[in-house]
Amino acid sequence: MELKRIFKASAIATALILAGCGGDINITEGNIDNSVTNNNTGGSTPTPTPTPTETLPGESSTFLSTQVSAALGQTVEVRTLSGRLIDSMADSSGKITLTSDTVWALEGAVFVGNDKADSVTLAIEPGTIIFGRNGSDYLVVSRDSKIEAQGTAAAPIIMTSYSDVIGDQVGAGQWGGMVLLGNAKSNKCPATGDCALQVEGVEEGAVFGGTDDTDNSGILKYVVVKYAGFEIAPDNELNGITFGGVGSGTEVDYIQVHANADDGIEFFGGAVNLKHVVLTSNQDDSVDWDNGFRGKLQYVYVEQDKSSGDANRGIEGDNDGSTPDAEPQSNPMIANMTIIGNNFDGEDDSEGVYLREGSGAQIYNMVVTGPAGMGECFEVENSTESQANLADSTITMSNSVLGCTNDENFKFDATGVDLENWFLNTQTGNRVAAPMLNADGTPMAGSPLLTGAADASAVDTFFDATDYIGAVKSGSDWRDGWAFGFGGGDIKVVQSTSGCPSGTISIAEADGTTTTCEVSGRITADLHLTSGNLYALSGAVFIGNDNADSATLTIDAGVTLYGASGNDYLVVSRGSKISAIGTAAAPITFTSIQDVQGLNTAAGQWGGVVLLGNAPSNKCPATGACALQVEGVQEGAVFGGTNETDNSGTLNYVRVMNGGYEIAPDNELNGITFAGVGSGTAVDYIQIHQNADDGVEFFGGNVDVKHLVLTANQDDNIDWDNGYRGRIQYVLIRQAQDNSDANRGIEADNDGSTPDAQPQSNPTVANVTIIGNTFDGEDDSEGVYLREGTGAQLANFIITGPTGMGECFEVENSAESQTNLGDGTITFTHSVVACGENFKNDTGAVDLENWFLSVQAGNAVAANSAAVLNGIFSISTVTPKDFSGETFFDNTDFIGAVKEGDNWTAGWTVGLE
């Protein structure tokens, strides 16, 4: 089974404000026997109980009903549609209706009406599933007939392949696609007489064209088309959606074409307008127009296959190949478009925009970008007509950003117009710049896309006014919840008694045997992940909205959750909670798909866990609400406030392994990120193992932690910033034993730009063992580094490592940090260091060795690790600090994290063997 089908790792990074489980296939209960069978137990296949069929079109298929019912774990009827649907088949409302309580199969070419005869409206209810089984299965809406496919964000209409419905391997070209034929103009129409142009990819007699640019072919709203496209012959293919002579009376809003074998959408003439279009992983052009297309498009998101599979152009725009100056001339208007290419290099290459064969185009607020192996961002054919269009404003492009990282933003012949000069100096408001996009294609904070947009509404009233460039704005993502890869558009398996809990969907068993449930999108109702299942995090999974639609994620002891890429991570929003309470015998595990499948594991194989709270940070404004963007997560994931006792839930016996992901330098996912998390949150017995960035990082807040294990992490193990003032006891840090990537046991900051910012970072940390390694790279293995004005109250530490490790203890030589050593803002007592370089301080700075041994109380220096540790167990004779009277800290009879005979790490941790 194809891996991306099983796990649906979102690329795109997903991105995003998601809206629950919208877009999943979820059969609405009509007159259906709703008995449920657990598909994964090998039980008998349910026998379909058909819906009464007096008014339903098509024919009931026992075979398909049985197969689809078994796949969905619910008894449903599948009805096949074939031939022509005409007015004599309509119900009393004059429509032929496809209901959402039935699954519909296309068999062969299914036509709605004859050409300008027997006309009828095909109405499709929200949430309806329609599938085809091969390339000859497709839907055609004839001239004068209509389609009313009106889904919703919570229940989009999904047109897909049989393989997708039954959970088999998916891919482009598994069925045909959808074709709309209208009476609007094409420059292929004859000068006199009727126009009837054969559309490509469809059997003879499927014709379009006319004189009515306002023709109405119906409505497409919240429609997802997946895995379609079919080549009848070279240059005669089915697109995901074909618009042949479709007029402006047609409403098209919120549509997606995903993984199509040919173009995503193609316009043959016509004047249809579109808003909110998602085009992902299509194998040829994403947008293609020809023969006099003059429609308008706004909010178009194009992302080519993230794994660099087949792709060609984001836009391929033509007028006419044989008569480039044919009228009406192709000249669409486009505003707010994002094109993200890939590295595909085949017969066709991944490219941005190519205008040719005399086409015009009026483009505003577009961004084109892609990886280093992508082809050019922008090209105009070196033909007389196309080059003239650049000079006479038949082609314009304004307030746009080109950001191809391959140094080929423009491609033009020496005899053609210098496109770079034309773009930057002849056109207005354009820039060549790195667009700074999140994994889901939304702009990061500081992105050039957040300024310099044109008001397209001043050009044409169809367009909305926007203050950003590109298709999607951070924090307000119109794709969320309905589009595939953005929290919707998936096949949803109805819950069985012993299967996936409500709010998740069943997917193929990740390990070949265990029921596996996918969690995706934004969860706005309480969700309980029950034991006995595996859970796949698909994309950015948010619990609640920011201080709104709050929910609690409850995870049973022993549950494993996994991600398949760095775009898969969990975020608990402000106001929401996580209740992850494992046991030593049954810890809760967050890990990678490789781990679940018994393959080689490594850091960075998935994202991580992020808790966002309402506690203070010194980055909060002095007045007004605080909403600080957290690092490593898509825009809109914010934290901070005034509630030091804020409660984000409970983490108890939780392991986070093989995670971490770098969105950009200094913008990474940690194993667990605590951002503005308050002291009402309970954190006890957690481990971060083999993370690509920090183990845990605290951005402000007051959360307390006990029993923390940090092993083989590639950057800092504990990192705090911006006013963190929590308490921590019992921390075992062991850097990678193979001496691979590592940095500091603790890296601690207050604030880099304002080191004396208040509230000041000043946690109390006790009973810590730091065991370094000999890694010597861009960063070195080190012990504790206090900087940027942080305070710290440290006690009962053992810091040691092999010969070749960096320093045990360092304090930045800045005025604020050095002052902290003298006024009690930093204390370090009842501890021992045993490194080759125990202390590091500049000449003229506080002598840390003298400070540690003579100014502070109860400290010692030992010769080596063997003098203070036996494996992970403390054998130091240093007297521990007396914490009598403290409500959080235990009094211990040892320093360091663990003593033999009381090994709290036993039975639930990994990597300590």
Side-chain angles (χ1 to χ4, degrees):
M1 186 171 289
E2 185 179 356
L3 192 63
K4 69 181 179 182
R5 162 62 189 148
I6 300 174
F7 306 117
K8 301 186 184 73
S10 57
I12 309 172
T14 161
L16 235 163
I17 304 297
L18 304 180
C21 293
D24 298 325
I25 290 184
N26 185 5
I27 307 302
T28 303
E29 294 186 13
N31 297 315
I32 296 177
D33 175 4
N34 212 21
S35 59
V36 177
T37 296
N38 179 1
N39 251 0
N40 300 315
T41 63
S44 60
T45 301
T47 301
T49 301
T51 302
T53 59
E54 287 79 6
T55 61
L56 292 179
E59 297 182 356
S60 183
S61 168
T62 300
F63 170 75
L64 289 176
S65 296
T66 300
Q67 297 299 308
V68 171
S69 293
L72 297 183
Q74 178 185 1
T75 301
V76 295
E77 181 187 21
V78 176
R79 297 186 66 82
T80 61
L81 302 172
S82 60
R84 289 195 184 262
L85 307 176
I86 58 175
D87 55 351
S88 62
M89 302 175 183
D91 59 21
S92 58
S93 69
K95 298 178 181 179
I96 296 172
T97 300
L98 305 186
T99 59
S100 60
D101 59 2
T102 301
V103 175
W104 302 89
L106 303 174
E107 294 215 331
V110 178
F111 282 76
V112 180
N114 280 298
D115 180 45
K116 295 190 173 185
D118 306 312
S119 301
V120 72
T121 295
L122 178 66
I124 307 175
E125 291 184 347
T128 298
I129 309 162
I130 303 169
F131 69 81
R133 288 190 283 174
N134 58 58
S136 62
D137 300 335
Y138 52 86
L139 179 67
V140 182
V141 180
S142 303
R143 292 192 293 185
D144 288 357
S145 287
K146 293 180 182 179
I147 185 170
E148 290 183 357
Q150 297 192 68
T152 66
I157 293 162
I158 299 178
M159 305 180 71
T160 189
S161 68
Y162 177 62
S163 294
D164 190 28
V165 172
I166 65 171
D168 205 347
Q169 179 173 327
V170 294
Q174 292 185 330
W175 68 290
M178 179 165 51
V179 180
L180 272 63
L181 303 175
N183 295 288
K185 296 175 185 176
S186 163
N187 60 30
K188 286 289 190 182
C189 286
T192 59
D194 292 337
C195 181
L197 304 170
Q198 173 65 38
V199 73
E200 72 173 29
V202 180
E203 65 184 46
E204 287 295 317
V207 297
F208 69 93
T211 59
D212 184 4
D213 278 346
T214 64
D215 191 38
N216 182 358
S217 294
I219 299 172
L220 296 178
K221 193 166 186 179
Y222 289 109
V223 175
V224 177
V225 177
K226 300 191 288 181
Y227 310 120
F230 189 69
E231 183 178 75
I232 308 299
D235 298 321
N236 187 21
E237 305 99 349
L238 275 165
N239 308 294
I241 305 177
T242 299
F243 296 90
V246 177
S248 62
T250 310
E251 181 182 349
V252 184
D253 201 2
Y254 297 99
I255 64 168
Q256 179 181 23
V257 178
H258 174 74
N260 201 75
D262 192 49
D263 299 335
I265 53 176
E266 184 162 5
F267 304 92
F268 294 95
V272 63
N273 303 320
L274 291 78
K275 272 185 178 174
H276 303 105
V277 180
V278 179
L279 301 165
T280 47
S281 298
N282 297 304
Q283 293 190 343
D284 196 6
D285 310 314
S286 291
V287 177
D288 193 335
W289 67 68
D290 314 84
N291 306 131
F293 173 58
R294 288 155 296 117
K296 296 180 278 268
L297 294 86
Q298 188 173 27
Y299 311 120
V300 182
Y301 181 80
V302 172
E303 184 169 21
Q304 295 175 345
D305 181 31
K306 286 182 179 292
S307 61
S308 293
D310 287 17
N312 196 201
R313 292 154 183 153
I315 292 177
E316 182 177 279
D318 302 330
N319 189 43
D320 184 70
S322 58
T323 312
D325 58 354
E327 295 290 341
Q329 182 182 34
S330 294
N331 200 342
M333 300 173 67
I334 302 171
N336 294 94
M337 184 169 186
T338 295
I339 298 174
I340 303 173
N342 69 10
N343 288 323
F344 178 68
D345 185 11
E347 183 177 351
D348 297 309
D349 297 344
S350 165
E351 299 171 356
V353 177
Y354 185 31
L355 304 179
R356 63 184 192 176
E357 297 182 355
S359 179
Q362 310 299 306
I363 298 172
Y364 309 88
N365 300 341
M366 174 184 283
V367 57
V368 185
T369 189
M374 177 184 169
E376 63 272 5
C377 265
F378 181 49
E379 179 182 6
V380 176
E381 183 183 44
N382 192 13
S383 65
T384 301
E385 293 80 5
S386 295
Q387 293 291 300
N389 290 344
L390 288 164
D392 65 9
S393 297
T394 304
I395 297 173
T396 65
M397 184 182 291
S398 66
N399 301 87
S400 296
V401 172
L402 299 186
C404 287
T405 58
N406 56 0
D407 295 324
E408 193 175 7
N409 284 300
F410 308 94
K411 181 179 179 181
F412 53 91
D413 296 340
T415 57
V417 172
D418 181 331
L419 287 181
E420 182 172 14
N421 180 67
W422 177 89
F423 179 79
L424 293 175
N425 299 318
T426 304
Q427 303 298 290
T428 59
N430 294 326
R431 289 166 285 172
V432 171
M436 297 175 60
L437 299 180
N438 292 303
D440 64 352
T442 58
M444 298 177 179
S447 168
L449 306 184
L450 299 176
T451 60
D455 179 2
S457 69
V459 180
D460 190 283
T461 56
F462 168 80
F463 296 109
D464 302 327
T466 64
D467 59 0
Y468 60 94
I469 294 167
V472 192
K473 184 175 182 178
S474 303
S476 180
D477 193 340
W478 50 263
R479 302 166 301 178
D480 287 345
W482 68 272
F484 181 72
F486 302 92
D490 291 320
I491 304 298
K492 182 174 182 179
V493 179
V494 177
Q495 180 188 358
S496 60
T497 302
S498 59
C500 293
S502 179
T504 70
I505 61 173
S506 178
I507 59 176
E509 297 91 341
D511 61 357
T513 59
T514 307
T515 299
T516 303
C517 314
E518 183 180 81
V519 187
S520 64
R522 191 172 291 271
I523 310 301
T524 56
D526 290 351
L527 176 62
H528 185 181
L529 303 185
T530 53
S531 60
N533 303 323
L534 291 169
Y535 295 90
L537 298 172
S538 179
V541 177
F542 280 75
I543 308 302
N545 280 299
D546 179 44
N547 281 326
D549 303 316
S550 299
T552 296
L553 174 66
T554 300
I555 306 174
D556 282 352
V559 163
T560 294
L561 302 91
Y562 67 84
S565 79
N567 297 311
D568 303 330
Y569 52 87
L570 176 68
V571 181
V572 180
S573 302
R574 291 193 294 186
S576 290
K577 294 180 181 179
I578 184 171
S579 178
I581 303 176
T583 66
I588 292 165
T589 302
F590 291 84
T591 189
S592 64
I593 181 57
Q594 290 86 346
D595 189 22
V596 169
Q597 294 183 321
L599 304 175
N600 290 333
T601 62
Q605 290 179 332
W606 70 288
V609 178
V610 180
L611 272 63
L612 304 174
N614 293 289
S617 162
N618 61 31
K619 286 290 190 181
C620 287
T623 59
C626 182
L628 305 171
Q629 173 66 36
V630 73
E631 72 172 28
V633 180
Q634 66 187 41
E635 287 294 315
V638 297
F639 69 95
T642 59
N643 185 6
E644 293 184 355
T645 62
D646 192 38
N647 182 358
S648 295
T650 302
L651 298 176
N652 194 227
Y653 286 107
V654 173
R655 307 181 300 195
V656 179
M657 307 188 298
N658 313 311
Y661 187 68
E662 182 178 74
I663 306 299
D666 298 321
N667 188 22
E668 307 98 350
L669 275 165
N670 308 296
I672 304 180
T673 299
F674 296 91
V677 176
S679 61
T681 310
V683 183
D684 201 0
Y685 296 100
I686 63 172
Q687 179 181 20
I688 314 298
H689 175 69
Q690 200 167 249
N691 201 74
D693 193 49
D694 300 335
V696 292
E697 184 161 5
F698 303 91
F699 294 94
N702 305 77
V703 63
D704 301 325
V705 180
K706 264 188 177 172
H707 302 103
L708 172 61
V709 178
L710 300 158
T711 47
N713 297 304
Q714 293 189 345
D715 197 3
D716 310 313
N717 287 275
I718 297 176
D719 193 333
W720 69 68
D721 317 79
N722 306 132
Y724 172 59
R725 289 160 297 121
R727 298 169 293 185
I728 305 174
Q729 189 174 27
Y730 308 121
V731 182
L732 175 62
I733 296 171
R734 190 169 75 176
Q735 295 176 341
Q737 291 189 291
D738 63 0
N739 295 313
S740 57
D741 289 19
N743 196 202
R744 291 154 183 153
I746 295 176
E747 180 179 281
D749 303 328
N750 188 44
D751 183 70
S753 59
T754 312
D756 59 354
Q758 295 296 320
Q760 181 181 36
S761 296
N762 200 342
T764 302
V765 187
N767 291 94
V768 177
T769 296
I770 299 175
I771 306 171
N773 69 13
T774 61
F775 178 70
D776 184 9
E778 184 177 351
D779 297 309
D780 298 344
S781 165
E782 299 171 357
V784 175
Y785 185 30
L786 306 180
R787 63 183 193 179
E788 296 183 357
T790 188
Q793 309 301 302
L794 311 180
N796 300 352
F797 272 59
I798 296 173
I799 308 175
T800 189
T803 302
M805 175 184 168
E807 64 273 4
C808 268
F809 181 51
E810 179 182 5
V811 176
E812 183 184 44
N813 189 14
S814 65
E816 293 81 3
S817 295
Q818 292 291 301
T819 298
N820 291 344
L821 287 164
D823 65 8
T825 305
I826 297 174
T827 65
F828 198 169
T829 69
H830 303 86
S831 298
V832 62
V833 294
C835 302
E837 185 182 3
N838 287 314
F839 306 98
K840 180 179 179 181
N841 52 265
D842 296 340
T843 302
V846 171
D847 181 332
L848 287 181
E849 182 172 14
N850 178 70
W851 179 88
F852 183 76
L853 294 174
S854 302
V855 178
Q856 300 297 291
N859 293 329
V861 172
N864 51 41
S865 294
V868 292
L869 290 177
N870 176 19
I872 63 171
F873 302 120
S874 171
I875 57 173
S876 173
T877 59
V878 168
T879 301
K881 181 176 179 176
D882 183 356
F883 279 103
S884 297
E886 291 278 355
T887 58
F888 174 80
F889 291 100
D890 302 327
N891 260 333
T892 65
D893 58 4
F894 63 96
I895 70 167
V898 194
K899 73 172 183 178
E900 198 159 12
D902 185 16
N903 184 9
W904 53 265
T905 72
W908 65 278
T909 60
V910 298
L912 289 176
E913 300 80 8

